[in-house]
Coordinates of all heavy atoms in Angstrom, one line a residue:
M7 N -18.8 39.7 9.8 CA -19.2 38.5 10.5 C -17.9 37.9 11.1 O -16.8 38.0 10.6 CB -19.8 37.5 9.5 CG -20.4 36.3 10.1 SD -21.2 35.2 8.9 CE -22.5 36.1 8.3
D8 N -18.1 37.4 12.3 CA -16.9 36.9 13.1 C -16.4 35.6 12.4 O -17.2 34.8 11.8 CB -17.3 36.6 14.5 CG -17.6 37.8 15.3 OD1 -17.0 38.9 15.0 OD2 -18.4 37.7 16.3
P9 N -15.1 35.4 12.5 CA -14.5 34.2 11.8 C -15.0 32.9 12.4 O -15.2 31.9 11.7 CB -13.0 34.4 12.1 CG -12.8 35.8 12.3 CD -14.0 36.3 13.0
W10 N -15.3 32.9 13.7 CA -15.8 31.6 14.3 C -17.2 31.3 13.7 O -17.5 30.1 13.6 CB -15.8 31.7 15.8 CG -16.8 32.6 16.4 CD1 -16.7 33.9 16.7 CD2 -18.2 32.3 16.8 NE1 -17.8 34.5 17.2 CE2 -18.8 33.5 17.3 CE3 -19.0 31.2 16.7 CZ2 -20.1 33.5 17.7 CZ3 -20.3 31.2 17.1 CH2 -20.8 32.4 17.6
V11 N -18.0 32.3 13.4 CA -19.3 32.0 12.8 C -19.1 31.3 11.4 O -19.8 30.4 11.0 CB -20.1 33.3 12.7 CG1 -21.4 33.0 11.9 CG2 -20.4 33.8 14.0
L12 N -18.1 31.8 10.6 CA -17.8 31.3 9.3 C -17.3 29.8 9.5 O -17.7 29.0 8.6 CB -16.8 32.1 8.6 CG -17.2 33.5 8.3 CD1 -16.1 34.3 7.6 CD2 -18.4 33.5 7.3
W13 N -16.5 29.6 10.5 CA -16.0 28.2 10.7 C -17.2 27.3 11.1 O -17.3 26.1 10.7 CB -15.0 28.1 11.8 CG -13.6 28.5 11.3 CD1 -12.9 29.6 11.7 CD2 -12.8 27.9 10.3 NE1 -11.7 29.7 11.0 CE2 -11.6 28.6 10.2 CE3 -12.9 26.7 9.6 CZ2 -10.6 28.2 9.4 CZ3 -11.9 26.3 8.7 CH2 -10.8 27.1 8.6
L14 N -18.1 27.8 11.9 CA -19.3 27.0 12.3 C -20.2 26.7 11.1 O -20.7 25.6 10.9 CB -20.1 27.8 13.3 CG -21.1 27.0 14.1 CD1 -20.5 25.8 14.8 CD2 -21.8 27.9 15.1
I15 N -20.4 27.7 10.2 CA -21.1 27.5 9.0 C -20.5 26.4 8.1 O -21.1 25.6 7.5 CB -21.3 28.8 8.2 CG1 -22.3 29.8 9.0 CG2 -21.8 28.6 6.8 CD1 -22.3 31.2 8.4
A16 N -19.1 26.5 8.0 CA -18.4 25.5 7.2 C -18.6 24.1 7.8 O -18.7 23.1 7.1 CB -16.9 25.9 7.1
A17 N -18.6 24.0 9.1 CA -18.8 22.7 9.8 C -20.2 22.2 9.5 O -20.3 21.0 9.2 CB -18.6 22.9 11.3
V18 N -21.2 23.0 9.5 CA -22.5 22.6 9.2 C -22.6 22.1 7.7 O -23.2 21.1 7.4 CB -23.5 23.7 9.5 CG1 -24.9 23.3 9.0 CG2 -23.6 23.9 11.0
V19 N -22.0 22.9 6.8 CA -22.0 22.5 5.4 C -21.4 21.2 5.2 O -21.9 20.3 4.4 CB -21.4 23.7 4.5 CG1 -21.2 23.2 3.1 CG2 -22.3 24.9 4.6
F20 N -20.2 21.0 5.8 CA -19.5 19.7 5.7 C -20.4 18.6 6.2 O -20.4 17.5 5.7 CB -18.2 19.7 6.3 CG -17.1 20.4 5.6 CD1 -16.3 21.4 6.2 CD2 -16.9 20.2 4.2 CE1 -15.3 22.0 5.5 CE2 -15.9 20.8 3.5 CZ -15.1 21.8 4.1
A21 N -21.0 18.8 7.4 CA -21.8 17.8 8.0 C -23.0 17.4 7.1 O -23.4 16.2 7.0 CB -22.3 18.2 9.4
V22 N -23.7 18.4 6.6 CA -24.8 18.2 5.7 C -24.4 17.4 4.4 O -25.0 16.5 4.0 CB -25.6 19.5 5.4 CG1 -26.6 19.3 4.3 CG2 -26.2 20.0 6.6
G23 N -23.2 17.8 3.9 CA -22.7 17.1 2.8 C -22.4 15.7 3.1 O -22.6 14.8 2.2
E24 N -21.9 15.4 4.3 CA -21.6 14.0 4.7 C -22.9 13.2 4.8 O -22.9 12.1 4.3 CB -20.9 14.0 6.0 CG -20.6 12.7 6.5 CD -19.7 11.8 5.7 OE1 -18.8 12.3 5.0 OE2 -20.0 10.6 5.6
I25 N -23.9 13.8 5.3 CA -25.2 13.1 5.4 C -25.7 12.8 4.0 O -26.3 11.8 3.8 CB -26.2 14.0 6.2 CG1 -25.7 14.0 7.7 CG2 -27.6 13.4 6.1 CD1 -26.5 15.0 8.5
A26 N -25.5 13.7 3.1 CA -26.1 13.6 1.7 C -25.3 12.5 0.9 O -25.9 11.8 0.1 CB -26.1 14.9 1.0
T27 N -24.0 12.4 1.2 CA -23.2 11.5 0.3 C -22.9 10.1 1.0 O -22.7 9.2 0.3 CB -21.8 12.1 0.0 OG1 -21.1 12.4 1.2 CG2 -22.0 13.4 -0.8
L28 N -22.9 10.1 2.3 CA -22.6 8.8 3.0 C -21.3 8.1 2.6 O -21.2 6.9 2.7 CB -23.8 7.8 2.8 CG -25.1 8.3 3.3 CD1 -26.2 7.3 2.9 CD2 -25.1 8.5 4.8
G29 N -20.3 8.9 2.2 CA -19.0 8.3 1.8 C -18.0 8.4 2.9 O -16.9 8.0 2.7
F30 N -18.3 9.0 4.0 CA -17.4 9.2 5.2 C -16.1 9.9 4.7 O -15.0 9.5 5.1 CB -17.1 7.9 5.9 CG -16.6 8.2 7.3 CD1 -17.5 8.6 8.3 CD2 -15.3 8.0 7.7 CE1 -17.1 8.8 9.6 CE2 -14.9 8.3 9.0 CZ -15.8 8.7 9.9
F31 N -16.3 11.0 3.9 CA -15.2 11.7 3.5 C -15.2 13.2 4.1 O -14.2 13.8 4.4 CB -15.1 11.8 2.0 CG -13.9 12.6 1.5 CD1 -12.6 12.0 1.6 CD2 -14.0 13.8 0.9 CE1 -11.5 12.8 1.2 CE2 -13.0 14.5 0.5 CZ -11.7 14.0 0.6
L32 N -16.4 13.7 4.2 CA -16.6 15.1 4.7 C -16.7 15.2 6.2 O -16.5 16.3 6.7 CB -17.8 15.7 4.0 CG -17.7 15.9 2.5 CD1 -19.1 16.4 2.0 CD2 -16.6 16.8 2.1
A33 N -16.9 14.1 6.9 CA -17.1 14.2 8.4 C -15.8 14.6 9.0 O -15.9 15.5 10.0 CB -17.5 12.8 8.9
P34 N -14.6 14.2 8.7 CA -13.4 14.7 9.3 C -13.2 16.2 9.1 O -12.7 16.9 10.0 CB -12.3 13.9 8.7 CG -12.9 12.7 8.2 CD -14.3 13.0 7.8
F35 N -13.6 16.7 7.9 CA -13.5 18.1 7.7 C -14.5 18.9 8.5 O -14.3 20.0 8.9 CB -13.7 18.4 6.2 CG -12.6 17.8 5.4 CD1 -12.9 16.7 4.6 CD2 -11.3 18.4 5.4 CE1 -11.9 16.2 3.8 CE2 -10.3 17.8 4.6 CZ -10.6 16.7 3.8
A36 N -15.7 18.3 8.8 CA -16.7 19.0 9.7 C -16.1 19.0 11.1 O -16.3 20.1 11.8 CB -18.0 18.2 9.7
G37 N -15.4 18.0 11.5 CA -14.8 18.0 12.8 C -13.7 19.0 12.9 O -13.6 19.8 13.9
G38 N -12.9 19.1 11.9 CA -11.8 20.1 11.9 C -12.4 21.5 11.9 O -11.8 22.4 12.6
A39 N -13.4 21.8 11.1 CA -14.0 23.1 11.1 C -14.7 23.5 12.5 O -14.6 24.6 12.9 CB -15.1 23.2 10.0
L40 N -15.2 22.5 13.1 CA -15.8 22.7 14.4 C -14.7 23.1 15.5 O -14.9 24.0 16.2 CB -16.6 21.5 14.9 CG -17.4 21.6 16.2 CD1 -18.4 22.7 16.1 CD2 -18.0 20.3 16.5
I41 N -13.6 22.4 15.5 CA -12.5 22.7 16.4 C -11.9 24.0 16.0 O -11.6 24.8 16.9 CB -11.5 21.6 16.3 CG1 -12.1 20.2 16.8 CG2 -10.3 21.9 17.2 CD1 -12.6 20.2 18.2
A42 N -11.8 24.3 14.7 CA -11.3 25.7 14.3 C -12.3 26.8 14.8 O -11.8 27.8 15.2 CB -11.1 25.7 12.8
A43 N -13.6 26.5 14.8 CA -14.5 27.5 15.3 C -14.3 27.7 16.8 O -14.4 28.9 17.2 CB -16.0 27.0 15.0
L44 N -14.1 26.7 17.5 CA -13.8 26.8 19.0 C -12.6 27.6 19.2 O -12.5 28.5 20.1 CB -13.8 25.4 19.6 CG -15.1 24.7 19.6 CD1 -14.8 23.3 20.2 CD2 -16.1 25.4 20.5
V45 N -11.5 27.3 18.5 CA -10.2 28.0 18.6 C -10.4 29.5 18.3 O -9.9 30.4 19.0 CB -9.1 27.4 17.8 CG1 -7.9 28.2 17.7 CG2 -8.8 26.0 18.3
S46 N -11.1 29.8 17.2 CA -11.4 31.1 16.8 C -12.2 31.9 17.8 O -11.9 33.1 18.1 CB -12.0 31.2 15.4 OG -12.2 32.5 15.0
A47 N -13.2 31.2 18.4 CA -14.0 31.9 19.4 C -13.3 32.1 20.6 O -13.6 33.1 21.4 CB -15.3 31.0 19.7
A48 N -12.3 31.3 20.9 CA -11.4 31.5 22.1 C -10.4 32.6 22.0 O -9.7 32.9 22.9 CB -10.8 30.2 22.5
G49 N -10.3 33.1 20.8 CA -9.4 34.2 20.6 C -8.2 33.9 19.7 O -7.3 34.8 19.5
G50 N -8.1 32.7 19.1 CA -7.0 32.4 18.2 C -7.2 33.2 16.9 O -8.3 33.5 16.5
G51 N -6.1 33.5 16.3 CA -6.1 34.2 15.1 C -6.6 33.4 13.9 O -6.8 32.2 14.0
D52 N -6.7 34.1 12.8 CA -7.1 33.4 11.5 C -6.1 32.3 11.1 O -6.6 31.2 10.7 CB -7.3 34.4 10.4 CG -8.5 35.4 10.7 OD1 -9.4 35.0 11.5 OD2 -8.5 36.5 10.1
L53 N -4.9 32.6 11.2 CA -3.8 31.6 10.8 C -3.8 30.4 11.7 O -3.7 29.3 11.2 CB -2.5 32.3 10.7 CG -1.3 31.4 10.3 CD1 -1.6 30.9 8.8 CD2 0.0 32.1 10.4
I54 N -4.0 30.7 13.0 CA -4.0 29.6 13.9 C -5.2 28.7 13.7 O -5.2 27.5 13.7 CB -4.0 30.1 15.4 CG1 -2.8 30.9 15.7 CG2 -4.2 29.0 16.4 CD1 -1.5 30.2 15.6
S55 N -6.4 29.3 13.4 CA -7.6 28.6 13.2 C -7.5 27.7 11.9 O -7.9 26.6 11.8 CB -8.8 29.5 13.0 OG -9.0 30.2 14.2
L56 N -6.8 28.3 10.9 CA -6.6 27.6 9.6 C -5.7 26.4 9.9 O -6.0 25.3 9.4 CB -6.1 28.5 8.5 CG -5.8 27.8 7.2 CD1 -7.1 27.3 6.6 CD2 -5.1 28.8 6.3
L57 N -4.6 26.6 10.6 CA -3.7 25.5 10.9 C -4.4 24.4 11.7 O -4.2 23.2 11.5 CB -2.5 26.0 11.6 CG -1.5 26.8 10.8 CD1 -0.4 27.4 11.6 CD2 -1.0 26.0 9.6
V58 N -5.2 24.8 12.7 CA -5.9 23.8 13.5 C -6.9 23.0 12.6 O -7.0 21.8 12.7 CB -6.7 24.5 14.7 CG1 -7.7 23.6 15.3 CG2 -5.7 25.0 15.7
F59 N -7.6 23.7 11.7 CA -8.5 23.0 10.8 C -7.7 22.0 10.0 O -8.2 20.8 9.8 CB -9.2 24.0 9.9 CG -9.9 23.4 8.7 CD1 -11.1 22.7 8.9 CD2 -9.4 23.5 7.4 CE1 -11.8 22.1 7.9 CE2 -10.1 22.9 6.4 CZ -11.3 22.2 6.6
L60 N -6.6 22.4 9.4 CA -5.9 21.5 8.5 C -5.3 20.3 9.3 O -5.4 19.1 8.9 CB -4.7 22.2 7.8 CG -5.1 23.3 6.8 CD1 -3.9 24.0 6.3 CD2 -5.9 22.6 5.7
I61 N -4.8 20.5 10.5 CA -4.2 19.5 11.3 C -5.2 18.5 11.8 O -5.1 17.3 11.7 CB -3.3 20.0 12.4 CG1 -2.1 20.7 11.9 CG2 -2.9 19.0 13.4 CD1 -1.3 21.6 12.9
V62 N -6.3 19.0 12.4 CA -7.4 18.2 12.9 C -8.0 17.4 11.8 O -8.3 16.2 12.0 CB -8.4 19.0 13.8 CG1 -9.6 18.2 14.1 CG2 -7.7 19.6 15.0
S63 N -8.3 18.0 10.7 CA -8.9 17.3 9.6 C -8.0 16.2 9.0 O -8.5 15.1 8.8 CB -9.3 18.3 8.5 OG -10.2 19.2 8.9
G64 N -6.8 16.5 8.9 CA -5.8 15.5 8.5 C -5.7 14.3 9.4 O -5.7 13.1 9.0
V65 N -5.7 14.6 10.7 CA -5.6 13.5 11.7 C -6.9 12.7 11.7 O -6.8 11.4 11.7 CB -5.3 14.1 13.1 CG1 -5.5 13.0 14.2 CG2 -3.9 14.6 13.1
L66 N -8.0 13.3 11.7 CA -9.3 12.6 11.7 C -9.4 11.8 10.4 O -9.9 10.6 10.4 CB -10.4 13.6 11.8 CG -10.6 14.1 13.2 CD1 -11.8 15.2 13.2 CD2 -10.9 13.1 14.2
L67 N -9.1 12.4 9.3 CA -9.2 11.6 8.0 C -8.2 10.4 8.0 O -8.6 9.3 7.6 CB -8.8 12.6 6.8 CG -9.1 12.0 5.4 CD1 -10.6 11.7 5.2 CD2 -8.6 13.0 4.4
G68 N -7.0 10.6 8.5 CA -6.1 9.5 8.5 C -6.4 8.4 9.5 O -6.1 7.2 9.2
A69 N -7.1 8.8 10.5 CA -7.5 7.8 11.6 C -8.8 7.1 11.3 O -8.9 5.9 11.5 CB -7.5 8.5 12.9
L70 N -9.8 7.8 10.8 CA -11.1 7.3 10.7 C -11.5 6.7 9.4 O -12.3 5.8 9.3 CB -12.1 8.4 11.1 CG -12.0 8.9 12.5 CD1 -13.1 10.0 12.7 CD2 -12.3 7.8 13.5
R71 N -10.9 7.2 8.3 CA -11.2 6.7 7.0 C -10.9 5.2 6.8 O -11.7 4.4 6.3 CB -10.6 7.5 5.9 CG -10.9 7.1 4.5 CD -11.6 8.2 3.7 NE -11.8 7.8 2.3 CZ -12.9 7.5 1.8 NH1 -14.0 7.6 2.5 NH2 -13.0 7.2 0.5
P72 N -9.7 4.7 7.2 CA -9.4 3.3 7.1 C -10.4 2.4 8.0 O -10.8 1.4 7.5 CB -8.0 3.1 7.6 CG -7.4 4.5 7.4 CD -8.5 5.5 7.6
L73 N -10.8 3.0 9.1 CA -11.7 2.2 9.9 C -13.1 2.1 9.3 O -13.7 1.1 9.3 CB -11.9 3.0 11.3 CG -12.8 2.3 12.3 CD1 -12.2 1.0 12.8 CD2 -13.0 3.3 13.5
A74 N -13.5 3.2 8.7 CA -14.8 3.2 7.9 C -14.8 2.3 6.7 O -15.7 1.6 6.4 CB -15.2 4.6 7.5
R75 N -13.6 2.2 6.0 CA -13.5 1.4 4.9 C -13.5 -0.1 5.3 O -14.1 -0.9 4.5 CB -12.2 1.7 4.1 CG -12.3 3.1 3.4 CD -11.1 3.4 2.6 NE -11.2 2.6 1.4 CZ -10.4 2.7 0.4 NH1 -9.4 3.6 0.5 NH2 -10.5 2.0 -0.7
S76 N -12.9 -0.4 6.4 CA -12.9 -1.8 6.8 C -14.4 -2.3 7.2 O -14.7 -3.4 7.1 CB -12.0 -2.0 8.0 OG -12.5 -1.4 9.2
H77 N -15.1 -1.3 7.8 CA -16.5 -1.7 8.1 C -17.4 -1.9 6.9 O -18.4 -2.5 7.0 CB -17.1 -0.7 9.1 CG -16.6 -0.8 10.5 ND1 -17.1 -1.8 11.3 CD2 -15.7 -0.1 11.2 CE1 -16.5 -1.7 12.5 NE2 -15.6 -0.7 12.4
R78 N -17.1 -1.2 5.8 CA -17.8 -1.4 4.6 C -17.7 -2.8 4.0 O -18.6 -3.3 3.4 CB -17.4 -0.4 3.5 CG -18.0 0.9 3.6 CD -17.5 1.8 2.6 NE -18.1 1.6 1.3 CZ -17.8 2.3 0.2 NH1 -16.9 3.2 0.3 NH2 -18.5 2.1 -0.9
R79 N -16.6 -3.5 4.3 CA -16.3 -4.8 3.7 C -16.8 -5.9 4.6 O -16.8 -7.1 4.2 CB -14.8 -5.0 3.5 CG -14.2 -4.1 2.5 CD -12.8 -4.4 2.2 NE -12.1 -3.2 1.6 CZ -11.1 -2.6 2.2 NH1 -10.6 -3.2 3.3 NH2 -10.6 -1.6 1.7
M80 N -17.4 -5.6 5.8 CA -17.9 -6.6 6.7 C -19.2 -7.2 6.1 O -20.0 -6.5 5.6 CB -18.1 -6.0 8.1 CG -16.8 -5.6 8.7 SD -17.1 -4.9 10.3 CE -17.3 -6.3 11.3
P81 N -19.4 -8.5 6.3 CA -20.6 -9.1 5.8 C -21.8 -8.7 6.7 O -21.6 -8.4 7.9 CB -20.4 -10.6 5.9 CG -19.3 -10.7 6.9 CD -18.4 -9.5 6.8
A82 N -23.0 -8.7 6.1 CA -24.1 -8.3 6.9 C -24.5 -9.4 7.9 O -24.3 -10.6 7.7 CB -25.3 -8.1 6.0
Q83 N -24.9 -8.9 9.1 CA -25.2 -9.9 10.2 C -26.7 -10.3 10.0 O -27.5 -9.4 9.7 CB -25.0 -9.3 11.5 CG -23.5 -9.1 11.8 CD -23.3 -8.5 13.2 OE1 -24.2 -8.1 13.9 NE2 -22.1 -8.4 13.6
L84 N -27.0 -11.5 10.2 CA -28.3 -12.0 10.1 C -29.0 -12.0 11.4 O -28.5 -12.1 12.4 CB -28.4 -13.4 9.5 CG -27.8 -13.6 8.1 CD1 -27.8 -15.1 7.8 CD2 -28.7 -12.8 7.2

């Protein structure tokens, strides 16, 4: 099986896990796996795909998690 297919499967698993938990923790990893699948399909090696996954997931987690936590504390609008 091609590595990009495995990355795509990982992205789907992370996305489904995010839908099931609603904790906004797995969504950045789904995004990282999706970008790694694109890099792998474009001809990047396994190590490059892994580094892209780690970097993109870390950036998305660092940028989006505080934003999601601040929206959890907002009062409900009437």
Side-chain angles (χ1 to χ4, degrees):
M7 192 176 296
D8 291 331
W10 68 270
V11 175
L12 296 175
W13 282 114
L14 195 59
I15 291 170
V18 170
V19 168
F20 283 133
V22 169
E24 176 62 36
I25 291 169
T27 61
L28 299 174
F30 203 72
F31 182 72
L32 295 175
F35 296 108
L40 184 62
I41 300 298
L44 293 174
V45 168
S46 182
D52 293 337
L53 182 61
I54 300 296
S55 297
L56 179 63
L57 290 175
V58 166
F59 169 72
L60 293 174
I61 291 169
V62 170
S63 296
V65 168
L66 287 175
L67 187 64
L70 297 178
R71 181 118 172 112
L73 182 67
R75 292 182 76 171
S76 70
H77 282 285
R78 276 178 80 181
R79 294 188 204 120
M80 295 178 78
Q83 294 180 352
L84 296 177

